[in-house]
């Protein structure tokens, strides 16, 4: 859920038509975690794990940050931008660092020399006895100074960025997940003193790009005996 919420936030800042993918690969109980979102807002996610190892790990007492134990040492975090067959795919890969996915994403941006970024991700059950969960993410990025509106010195721009990150750090998980707080109200509460402008809402839907025809083409590429072993 954290990965899917983060992927939506990260993809929202990209001006392209295609697919953004966040993938984590390691050797721990959860050895693959991948989620992607299309420019049409179609979101999907998948996790691969060893049931026995995961049960054993989850039964142990742990601190709040359990990501390293679940994914194992040497885990890699990658972002991929695929804009279709006529363009070259972009992929950035770093070692996953920190105790949470948000810390790992911060490390990625520090290592990749891209825009300075900070992200907060929150996930929690509704608490109403159902199996429903709520997830949310808030991403702030420092845009290039060239062509930016306003006239700020380097020191003023640095100070404004630090202030934006501090405000993000002051946001509590219950606030981010509060369904009574619209995104507009939440952002106004955080950044009213800095100025807030709103873009149109973008609908996100859980939708897989797989189809019967696509699955048949994939199966047709395997030897018949191997296909029989899938049953």
């Amino acid at each position: 859920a954290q990965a899917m919420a983060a992927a939506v936030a990260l993809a929202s800042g990209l001006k392209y038509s295609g697919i953004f993918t966040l993938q984590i690969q390691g050797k721990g109980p959860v050895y693959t975690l991948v989620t992607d979102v299309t420019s049409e807002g179609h979101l999907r996610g998948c996790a691969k794990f060893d049931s026995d190892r995961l049960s054993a790990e989850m039964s142990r007492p742990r601190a709040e940050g359990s990501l390293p134990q679940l994914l194992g040492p040497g885990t890699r975090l990658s972002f991929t931008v695929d804009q279709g067959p006529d363009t070259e795919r972009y992929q950035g890969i770093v070692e996953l660092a920190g105790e949470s996915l948000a810390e790992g994403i911060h490390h990625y941006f520090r290592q990749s020399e891209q825009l300075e970024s900070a992200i907060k991700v929150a996930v929690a059950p509704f608490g109403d006895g159902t199996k429903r969960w709520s997830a949310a993410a808030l991403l702030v990025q420092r845009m290039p100074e060239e062509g930016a509106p306003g006239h700020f010195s380097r020191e003023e721009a640095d100070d404004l960025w630090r202030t934006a990150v501090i405000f993000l750090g002051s946001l509590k998980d219950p606030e981010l997940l509060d369904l009574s707080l619209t995104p507009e109200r939440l952002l106004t509460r955080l950044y009213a003193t800095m100025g807030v402008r709103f873009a149109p809402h973008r609908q996100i839907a859980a939708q897989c790009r797989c189809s019967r025809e696509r699955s048949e083409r994939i199966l047709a590429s395997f030897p018949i005996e191997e296909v029989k072993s899938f049953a």
Side-chain angles (χ1 to χ4, degrees), residues 18-116:
I19 305 166
F20 174 83
T21 303
L22 183 158
Q23 184 167 347
I24 300 173
Q25 287 189 304
K27 298 181 180 179
V30 181
Y31 51 87
T32 299
L33 180 64
V34 59
T35 180
D36 62 39
V37 56
T38 71
S39 47
E40 291 81 19
H42 299 163
L43 175 67
R44 64 178 182 175
C46 175
K48 295 183 179 180
F49 55 90
D50 183 305
S51 297
D52 294 336
R53 292 177 63 197
L54 181 59
S55 297
E57 183 61 44
M58 294 301 292
S59 66
R60 297 172 185 161
R62 64 182 63 251
E64 184 176 348
S66 60
L67 197 66
Q69 292 82 7
L70 293 176
L71 298 171
T75 299
R76 297 287 180 175
L77 168 67
S78 67
F79 295 162
T80 304
V81 176
D82 187 348
Q83 301 182 62
D86 298 327
T87 59
E88 185 175 351
R89 284 200 321 166
Y90 165 80
Q91 185 175 64
I93 304 175
V94 298
E95 184 171 349
L96 185 65
E99 296 296 316
S100 68
L101 179 59
E103 291 180 13
I105 293 173
H106 292 161
H107 175 70
Y108 172 90
F109 279 106
R110 287 193 297 269
Q111 296 296 313
S112 63
E113 298 182 355
Q114 297 185 32
L115 297 175
E116 291 184 75

Side-chain angles (χ1 to χ4, degrees), residues 189-206:
R189 176 184 291 185
L190 281 175
Y191 295 111
T193 58
M194 304 184 72
V196 181
R197 290 182 297 173
F198 301 105
H201 284 197
R202 178 185 176 196
Q203 294 296 324
I204 301 296

Side-chain angles (χ1 to χ4, degrees), residues 116 142-146 151-162:
E116 291 184 75
R142 182 172 180 173
M143 304 310 294
E145 295 181 16
E146 295 79 7
H151 302 280
F152 300 103
S153 67
R154 178 72 184 191
E155 292 75 16
E156 289 173 326
D158 289 344
D159 185 60
L160 286 169
W161 170 246
R162 285 192 293 268

